[in-house]
Amino acid sequence: MKLIDLAKVIRSKNAGPTTLTLDILFNDEAGYQRALNSPSLQPQAIAPLYGLKPEQVELIPYAPAMAIKISMDRKVVAGNPGDRDVYGAQQHGPLLEIEI
Amino acid sequence: MSAIERLRAQVKTADGLKPLRVLSASGQLGYGVPEAAFNEGLKREPHFIGCDMGSIDPGPYYLGSGNIATSEAQTRGDLALVLKGAHSHNVPLLIGTAGCAGAAPHLDAVLDMVRAIAHAEGLHFKLASIRADMPRDVVKHAIRQGKVKSLGAIADLTEADVDASTQLVGQMGIEAFQRALTAGADVVVAGRACDTAVYAAIPGMLGYELGPAMHMAKIVECASLCTTPGGRDALLGTLETSGGGSFIVDSMNPIRNASPMSVAAHSLYEQGDPYRVYEPEGTLHVDSAKYEQLDAHRTRVSGARWAPAQQFTVKIEGAAKVGERALMLAGCADPRAIAAMKEILPAVEKTVRELTAKTVKEKYEVYHRVYGIDGVFEWGGPPRELPREVFVMVEIIAETADAAKAVATVFKQFTLHHGFPGRISTGGNLAFPFTPPEVVTGPAYRFSAYHVMAVDELAALFPVTVEQL
């Protein structure tokens, strides 16, 4: 199953100008647990999609909202020359097609 | 009696503290405050009103240039609304991160608006302003002592970065707001400030538990963003003392419901870590928080803990000018040019650099973006199917606007007529929606600082001035 079909919300945003944070929210506990246990959401799998090393990516489960947070280094500080997305609000694309 | 003394007398009883009602008027003053919800909030007789006015999200331009991101007319209107609301209810008004970035030019512009509104409306009050500009020598001294650390993926701060910064601010915490209130302020307008400080300063002074107070501050500072459907309407937070402290989240727009899930999910928003919030005076831990549905519209939150810091820290933010920016803007609908665009643009850049070598003596930077292929995200390869059309933006950053424009103009012409293998459309490779297709956009900035500085004393960095209006 693709993540876009399993999740309720898949979003990205800066958490300060040096960090990008991706939030994946689910409709139910089953979907949340399924995604949480999937190797395809682990830092080792996510990092190459963003051109990063696994140690630059952190996965944080957040049970109170049945959500998975993935925080990572920005390759370009927000708004600096060479940036493509100052707010970081359109960096979720690679997550959508991930097979869970 | 000062505003804070009045509040103390109102909430203090022999049995402890009464519930404290906190009205968050806006998560970003200057983009319009929905009036119906704000007026509903005033009817609930809040003990004070808070507004956040800034953010680092819009990038380094606003901090660096000293310009405000919101329109002057809208900002003036929002300020007038909240000033009149607070004045008519005789409660304090606290505004954080004046003018988007909270450096001296932003703060001064907002203070001028506040004075002009007070004069025009016949409002009289004690206005406190708090500066957040970091003394350069203090930051440089801290660098030399190893007390400045990067926040995330940014290089170590150097003394050259400090000198290059057109503006350099620090985020103040509750301590600065509390000093302004102790000095007798009715209205506090702060430079760069933690969003939470606006809402947690008064509860902290009055003796409410800082864990729930800080957690409430973190939730309410975005107004009704934590509800379903989320929105910008005013939000009322009610701080309670029983059972170790809790707070109630209540949107002033009846269609925006706060549920345990929507409020809990807000801890994720724009936070790298949903369990911890770092403040100058300590750390808020929300891993122990409990969210409980009160009714269809309201949620009660309890259980957050506050851990005072062993060492005070201040987040510092700086922006430095990198040059002047010009853009070349064009579209393309030719399938062969689209397929070759990622090779065409570097080839044209090479030609342009040769052609301008004699006329543009200064160094310049060139960035190409092909929207439809990888303008927004570096996909690492072309899409499976190429799009029917693409949009091409070439960005030039040079020392002067003239040089940037000159390079953009040459770039336009040589992209239009660039020959490449398999070219079939020899009339021109680009469609210009208008001319001139090269546009000078003004100064470009970078973040020169996004670091944290350990300090022994906070008060000296955030001076308070009080004036009677």
Side-chain angles (χ1 to χ4, degrees):
Chain A
M1 194 177 200
K2 287 184 170 27
L3 190 60
I4 192 172
D5 298 319
L6 186 64
K8 177 171 73 172
V9 171
I10 302 174
R11 68 184 180 196
S12 78
K13 199 76 185 277
N14 293 347
T18 60
T19 302
L20 182 73
T21 192
L22 305 159
D23 297 335
I24 310 162
L25 280 68
F26 299 87
N27 289 308
D28 51 41
E29 187 66 26
Y32 170 59
Q33 289 298 340
R34 181 172 169 180
L36 201 55
N37 293 317
S38 168
S40 49
L41 277 182
Q42 294 302 311
Q44 298 88 314
I46 297 294
L49 301 175
Y50 285 84
L52 297 171
K53 296 176 193 139
E55 56 269 29
Q56 292 176 284
V57 178
E58 188 184 6
L59 180 143
I60 308 167
Y62 185 65
M66 292 190 298
I68 295 173
K69 179 176 272 300
I70 302 173
S71 294
M72 61 183 72
D73 288 348
R74 280 186 65 112
K75 283 198 283 186
V76 179
V77 175
N80 282 15
D83 190 17
R84 289 160 193 259
D85 185 358
V86 174
Y87 286 71
Q90 285 292 307
Q91 301 302 302
H92 57 299
L95 296 184
L96 302 176
E97 302 292 311
I98 287 177
E99 284 289 340
I100 298 297
Chain B
M1 197 187 266
S2 72
I4 192 70
E5 285 166 357
R6 214 162 48 234
L7 283 184
R8 192 169 277 132
Q10 279 172 25
V11 297
K12 214 166 180 179
T13 71
D15 304 326
L17 294 164
K18 289 185 194 167
L20 185 77
R21 291 178 299 278
V22 178
L23 182 62
S24 168
S26 174
Q28 174 92 66
L29 205 69
Y31 286 111
V33 175
E35 254 182 84
F38 179 67
N39 289 333
E40 179 59 32
L42 289 179
K43 280 189 209 156
R44 310 293 181 92
E45 298 185 340
H47 291 97
F48 73 92
I49 301 171
C51 315
D52 183 26
M53 205 172 174
S55 170
I56 199 167
D57 289 347
Y61 172 81
Y62 303 99
L63 177 60
S65 67
N67 292 335
I68 290 181
T70 52
S71 89
E72 177 155 345
Q74 192 69 53
T75 308
R76 213 176 270 276
D78 285 2
L79 282 168
L81 183 73
V82 295
L83 281 166
K84 284 191 278 186
H87 197 263
S88 65
H89 285 68
N90 200 24
V91 294
L93 172 67
L94 277 60
I95 299 175
T97 311
C100 309
H106 310 96
L107 179 60
D108 289 334
V110 172
L111 289 171
D112 280 347
M113 288 186 206
V114 169
R115 293 184 192 111
I117 292 162
H119 182 74
E121 302 285 343
L123 309 178
H124 299 283
F125 52 84
K126 262 193 178 172
L127 170 65
S129 53
I130 316 174
R131 304 218 161 248
D133 307 282
M134 292 293 99
R136 311 277 166 132
D137 54 338
V138 170
V139 178
K140 286 182 184 178
H141 186 67
I143 292 173
R144 287 196 289 272
Q145 291 195 312
K147 290 184 171 175
V148 179
K149 303 237 176 322
S150 300
L151 274 169
I154 190 168
D156 288 344
L157 190 66
T158 65
E159 295 189 40
D161 289 324
V162 172
D163 287 330
S165 300
T166 52
Q167 309 292 342
L168 188 68
V169 294
Q171 287 192 13
M172 69 184 77
I174 56 175
E175 177 277 336
F177 284 88
Q178 292 176 343
R179 242 177 321 115
L181 289 157
T182 301
D186 299 299
V187 175
V188 181
V189 181
R192 187 65 173 125
C194 297
D195 304 336
T196 45
V198 172
Y199 298 98
I202 287 179
M205 274 177 112
L206 297 177
Y208 293 83
E209 286 290 332
L210 264 183
M214 275 284 176
H215 195 195
M216 179 193 70
K218 188 70 205 153
I219 299 292
V220 305
E221 63 98 355
C222 287
S224 289
L225 218 56
C226 66
T227 61
T228 310
R232 302 184 62 86
D233 297 287
L235 188 81
L236 189 76
T238 302
L239 201 50
E240 309 164 313
T241 53
S242 57
S246 58
F247 63 94
I248 297 168
V249 181
D250 184 1
S251 173
M252 295 297 97
N253 182 336
I255 69 155
R256 306 201 185 287
N257 297 318
S259 69
M261 191 61 90
S262 73
V263 176
H266 189 67
S267 293
L268 296 163
Y269 188 66
E270 294 177 347
Q271 283 287 125
D273 179 344
Y275 294 111
R276 276 175 290 271
V277 183
Y278 298 96
E279 303 286 333
E281 299 97 345
T283 303
L284 173 68
H285 295 269
V286 303
D287 52 338
S288 47
K290 290 189 174 63
Y291 304 83
E292 157 201 2
Q293 188 94 52
L294 206 57
D295 54 40
H297 187 65
R298 300 177 301 161
T299 283
R300 177 181 275 131
V301 185
S302 59
R305 291 166 294 123
W306 173 255
Q310 302 293 319
Q311 164 81 61
F312 294 141
T313 54
V314 174
K315 256 189 194 182
I316 51 178
E317 301 167 353
K321 192 177 164 186
V322 291
E324 299 284 337
R325 177 180 280 128
L327 308 174
M328 189 280 283
L329 304 170
C332 175
D334 176 70
R336 295 197 184 169
I338 289 171
M341 196 58 80
K342 295 296 288 179
E343 287 82 50
I344 291 173
L345 295 171
V348 172
E349 181 182 337
K350 190 165 173 286
T351 306
V352 171
R353 286 195 179 274
E354 287 163 12
L355 285 166
T356 57
K358 285 186 183 151
T359 50
V360 179
K361 295 290 183 196
E362 61 201 65
K363 279 188 183 170
Y364 57 84
E365 295 171 51
V366 178
Y367 301 95
H368 326 127
R369 298 283 181 263
V370 183
Y371 291 93
I373 306 286
D374 61 358
V376 174
F377 189 86
E378 288 186 88
W379 297 95
R384 280 188 293 269
E385 273 185 58
L386 286 169
R388 190 159 71 176
E389 299 185 359
V390 297
F391 185 77
V392 179
M393 183 184 79
V394 176
E395 177 190 6
I396 316 290
I397 299 175
E399 273 173 44
T400 64
D402 283 350
K405 189 176 182 208
V407 175
T409 305
V410 177
F411 214 109
K412 178 234 5 177
Q413 201 65 6
F414 278 80
T415 313
L416 182 66
H417 295 302
H418 185 77
F420 58 91
R423 190 183 190 212
I424 193 164
S425 164
T426 54
N429 298 323
L430 298 174
F432 303 116
F434 46 75
T435 58
E438 58 278 340
V439 187
V440 173
T441 66
Y445 291 85
R446 67 176 170 94
F447 279 119
S448 48
Y450 187 67
H451 292 75
V452 63
M453 176 170 75
V455 298
D456 294 327
E457 197 214 338
L458 292 166
L461 295 174
F462 303 105
V464 171
T465 309
V466 181
E467 59 191 286
Q468 177 69 47
L469 298 184

